[in-house]
């Protein structure tokens, strides 16, 4: 180490000196956090001095590093991002963004007391299940409904309550893994049910189910293979036929729908995703699906079906462990109201994105391209969230040419809020479809800071 560097080390201010000059930071972050930050910055600086020559160090630059360090340390790791990927229900980016009215509903019950488990008419204890049941029944024609924490919980609850120590028959083509650890055979095991596999990976016939039914059978389970697609020599037994077989034997059909669309996606240029109404109309005794996939609401597991079965589920001890919280119930109610009012497409963000006119997207992409001296590429948006695998919507992408596109995407992730973009060849591309209307100004401002 040079003499110069030794002198620099010696000249570093003490922790206390810096602390004494950090009054504003102490007000904002508290003394302990500021002291830790000062120590960390001084440590870093010492390392740098040992490695580098020509460092310019003064108290002001150190204090500004302390402020940066504190800001970084105190940024929550769970925070808003701008989703420019074109994946509408992006599981890693929090699935469905909520509607304005869902947010208002959450706010109303979040910061005060509520009727969560209170019966206003009688002035006595009420049930948290009551808030959504009527609306769900009206929307779908189901006899009864129950909302739990998520769809994984919904299936575990249904299997635990109805098939514990019994057999459940599932087609080999439906023994799926959804991701994040949800695998049908493991869910089955966890619920204390014995899995009876029938058919083959690509073909399962009605006769396969019939042959597998024993005294021990509790139910036939149908799982929507939501995140992959089989092609070629394939056959699954239609739901109606499954219901027919089950009911002949006094058995239950449980349908894990996954996404659980209430609106037919085929009307909007996508493949047909099985709807909740279809599944109930086919005669399924219980149907489960997520709240934050094609429904466009908060994380939730929705269980619909026969009143006596839902009653059994409500009374199972796991129902307490899996119960939905008040914020979820409030947001889900507001989301479902949009379907009832017939304005889901206009108000629920994922449906706004799915139905956004291509001309609109194209105009937005060209506006941005001009702004950034970039180009526009035709591309594809996807629904994502384990829904409609392979199905895409045509889109137009803002494409920024960059010698090292991965360097640019990394820079974009450093922004506040971060922008998540895609790379195609030597371009970084941005899909206007998934950038929320209220984020567009921020998006262009942030991008300008990096590119222009
Ligand atoms: C997504 C999905 C699940 C899991 O739902 P969560 O709400 O994420 O718990 C279960 N089954 C199917 C078929 C799915 O698509």
């Amino acid at each position: 180490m040079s003499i110069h560097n030794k002198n620099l080390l010696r000249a570093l201010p003490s922790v206390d000196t810096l602390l004494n000059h950090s009054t504003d930071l102490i007000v904002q972050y508290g003394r302990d956090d500021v002291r830790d930050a000062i120590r960390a910055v001084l440590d870093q600086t010492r390392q740098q001095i040992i490695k580098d020559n020509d460092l310019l160090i003064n108290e002001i630059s150190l204090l500004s590093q302390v402020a940066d360090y504190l800001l970084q340390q105190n940024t929550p790791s769970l925070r808003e991002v701008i989703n420019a990927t074109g994946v509408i229900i992006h599981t890693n980016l929090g699935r469905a963004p909520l509607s304005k009215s869902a947010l208002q509903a959450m706010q109303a019950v979040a910061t005060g007391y509520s009727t969560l488990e209170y019966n206003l008419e009688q002035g006595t204890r009420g049930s948290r299940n009551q808030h959504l049941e009527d609306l769900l029944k009206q929307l779908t024609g189901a006899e009864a409904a129950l909302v739990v924490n998520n769809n994984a919980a919904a299936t575990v609850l249904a299997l635990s309550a109805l098939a514990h120590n019994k057999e459940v028959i599932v087609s080999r083509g439906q023994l799926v893994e959804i991701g994040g650890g949800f695998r049908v055979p493991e869910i089955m095991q966890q619920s204390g049910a014995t899995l009876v596999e029938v058919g083959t990976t690509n073909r399962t016939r009605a006769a396969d189910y019939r042959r597998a039914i024993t005294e021990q059978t509790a139910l036939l389970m149908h799982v929507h293979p939501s995140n992959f697609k089989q092609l070629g020599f394939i056959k699954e037994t239609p739901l109606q036929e499954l219901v027919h077989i089950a009911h002949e034997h006094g058995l239950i059909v449980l349908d894990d729908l996954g996404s659980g669309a209430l609106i037919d996606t085929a009307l909007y240029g996508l493949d047909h995703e099985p709807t909740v109404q279809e599944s109930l109309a086919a005669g399924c005794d219980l149907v489960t699906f997520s709240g934050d996939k094609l429904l466009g609401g908060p994380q939730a597991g929705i269980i619909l079906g026969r009143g006596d079965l839902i009653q059994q589920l409500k009374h199972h001890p796991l129902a307490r462990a899996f119960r939905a919280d008040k914020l979820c119930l409030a947001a889900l109610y507001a989301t479902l109201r949009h379907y009832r009012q017939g304005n889901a497409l206009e108000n629920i963000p994922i449906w706004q994105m799915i139905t956004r006119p291509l001309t609109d997207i194209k105009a937005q992409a060209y506006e941005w391209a001009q702004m950034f001296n970039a180009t526009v590429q035709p591309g594809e948006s996807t629904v994502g969230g384990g829904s409609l695998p392979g199905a895409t919507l045509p889109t137009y992408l803002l494409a920024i040419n960059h010698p090292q596109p991965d360097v640019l995407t990394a820079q974009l992730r450093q922004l506040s809020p971060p922008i998540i973009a895609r790379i195609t060849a030597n371009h970084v591309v941005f899909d206007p479809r998934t950038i929320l209307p209220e984020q567009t100004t921020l998006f262009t401002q942030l991008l300008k800071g990096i590119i222009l």
Side-chain angles (χ1 to χ4, degrees):
M1 202 177 9
S2 69
I3 302 218
H4 172 69
N5 285 2
K6 276 190 185 148
N7 287 338
L8 273 181
L9 276 182
R10 234 173 270 135
L12 276 182
S14 70
V15 174
D16 282 337
T17 308
L18 291 175
L19 202 56
N20 286 337
H21 295 135
S22 303
T23 324
D24 289 350
L25 290 176
I26 290 171
V27 170
Q28 199 179 344
Y29 296 105
R31 198 173 191 85
D32 290 345
D33 250 17
V34 176
R35 189 187 296 108
D36 287 352
I38 290 172
R39 286 200 177 117
V41 167
L42 284 175
D43 277 350
Q44 273 170 20
T45 310
R46 274 186 211 103
Q47 302 299 326
Q48 275 172 349
I49 293 174
I50 292 167
K51 266 189 276 161
D52 281 338
N53 278 309
D54 305 329
L55 270 188
L56 268 177
I57 290 163
N58 58 43
E59 201 176 300
I60 293 176
S61 78
L62 287 170
L63 283 173
S64 123
Q65 283 180 58
V66 170
D68 288 348
Y69 182 91
L70 282 163
L71 185 66
Q72 207 204 349
Q73 289 287 307
N74 287 280
T75 303
S77 65
L78 174 59
R79 59 200 181 112
E80 176 197 7
V81 300
I82 295 176
N83 174 13
T85 64
V87 182
I88 296 171
I89 307 171
H90 199 305
T91 294
N92 302 140
L93 302 183
R95 288 200 183 153
L98 294 177
S99 70
K100 298 282 174 297
S101 48
L103 174 67
Q104 282 160 11
M106 285 167 80
Q107 209 159 18
V109 299
T111 48
Y113 299 103
S114 66
T115 55
L116 180 63
E117 292 186 351
Y118 191 76
N119 182 327
L120 278 179
E121 270 169 46
Q122 327 240 319
T124 54
R125 186 177 199 281
S127 158
R128 71 175 65 214
N129 293 327
Q130 85 211 359
H131 304 294
L132 282 146
E133 192 155 15
D134 284 345
L135 189 50
L136 281 166
K137 280 155 58 174
Q138 287 162 359
L139 278 169
T140 62
E143 210 176 286
L146 175 62
V147 177
V148 292
N149 185 46
N150 57 18
N151 189 27
T155 51
V156 171
L157 175 60
L159 290 168
S160 304
L162 305 172
H164 191 79
N165 289 335
K166 298 246 187 84
E167 292 174 358
V168 176
I169 304 174
V170 187
S171 159
R172 288 198 169 90
Q174 296 173 13
L175 293 175
V176 305
E177 170 171 323
I178 300 304
F182 184 96
R183 295 173 134 191
V184 170
E186 288 165 15
I187 291 282
M188 201 73 74
Q189 198 175 21
Q190 197 60 44
S191 316
T194 305
L195 169 64
V196 177
E197 304 176 18
V198 294
T200 61
T201 306
N202 56 328
R203 294 178 71 87
T204 304
R205 301 180 186 78
D208 296 321
Y209 286 97
R210 279 216 169 80
R211 263 201 306 276
I213 293 173
T214 71
E215 292 283 283
Q216 289 308 305
T217 309
L219 56 84
L220 310 190
M221 185 174 181
H222 183 270
V223 184
H224 176 50
S226 48
N227 56 3
F228 69 100
K229 211 171 177 170
Q230 285 191 322
L231 291 174
F233 189 53
I234 53 169
K235 176 174 175 62
E236 281 290 359
T237 308
L239 214 44
Q240 281 94 336
E241 224 173 316
L242 205 62
V243 168
H244 182 71
I245 298 167
H247 290 180
E248 263 179 4
H249 293 83
L251 300 171
I252 300 161
V253 174
L254 167 65
D255 187 14
D256 174 7
L257 261 179
S259 212
L262 289 177
I263 295 176
D264 185 359
T265 46
L267 296 172
Y268 306 101
L270 291 163
D271 292 348
H272 175 71
E273 174 80 10
T275 66
V276 176
Q277 297 91 326
E278 282 162 6
S279 180
L280 288 165
C284 291
D285 303 281
L286 282 182
V287 178
T288 74
F289 54 98
S290 297
D292 52 356
K293 292 183 181 172
L294 277 171
L295 198 72
Q299 178 188 305
I302 299 163
I303 313 172
L304 302 177
R306 254 168 61 190
D308 59 326
L309 301 178
I310 295 282
Q311 204 58 25
Q312 268 178 270
L313 266 50
K314 282 180 183 167
H315 290 116
H316 191 277
L318 281 178
R320 171 65 177 78
F322 292 159
R323 75 184 186 186
D325 86 303
K326 61 187 175 187
L327 301 184
C328 158
L329 295 173
L332 189 56
Y333 182 85
T335 306
L336 291 170
R337 283 296 307 162
H338 287 307
Y339 289 94
R340 192 68 183 152
Q341 290 159 348
N343 59 20
L345 299 182
E346 295 81 27
N347 288 284
I348 296 177
I350 63 146
W351 284 101
Q352 289 174 308
M353 291 176 194
I354 290 172
T355 59
R356 184 158 168 201
L358 189 57
T359 49
D360 220 55
I361 296 175
K362 189 174 181 179
Q364 180 66 274
Y366 273 99
E367 188 195 318
W368 288 343
Q370 202 163 35
M371 199 180 278
F372 296 106
N373 212 357
T375 54
V376 172
Q377 286 179 3
E380 288 171 338
S381 319
T382 56
V383 173
S387 320
L388 299 163
T392 58
L393 292 164
T395 194
Y396 285 92
L397 307 163
L398 165 69
I400 292 178
N401 193 304
H402 196 277
Q404 287 171 294
D406 50 336
V407 171
L408 179 56
T409 52
Q411 279 179 325
L412 293 167
R413 293 197 303 273
Q414 299 277 319
L415 295 167
S416 189
I419 298 173
I420 315 297
R422 278 192 295 138
I423 295 173
T424 60
N426 50 353
H427 286 86
V428 174
V429 295
F430 304 83
D431 191 336
R433 191 190 294 275
T434 50
I435 299 176
L436 298 167
E438 55 274 24
Q439 290 179 324
T440 51
T441 311
L442 189 57
F443 170 74
T444 50
Q445 276 171 2
L446 288 167
L447 208 54
K448 272 179 192 160
I450 282 212
I451 292 177
L452 299 181

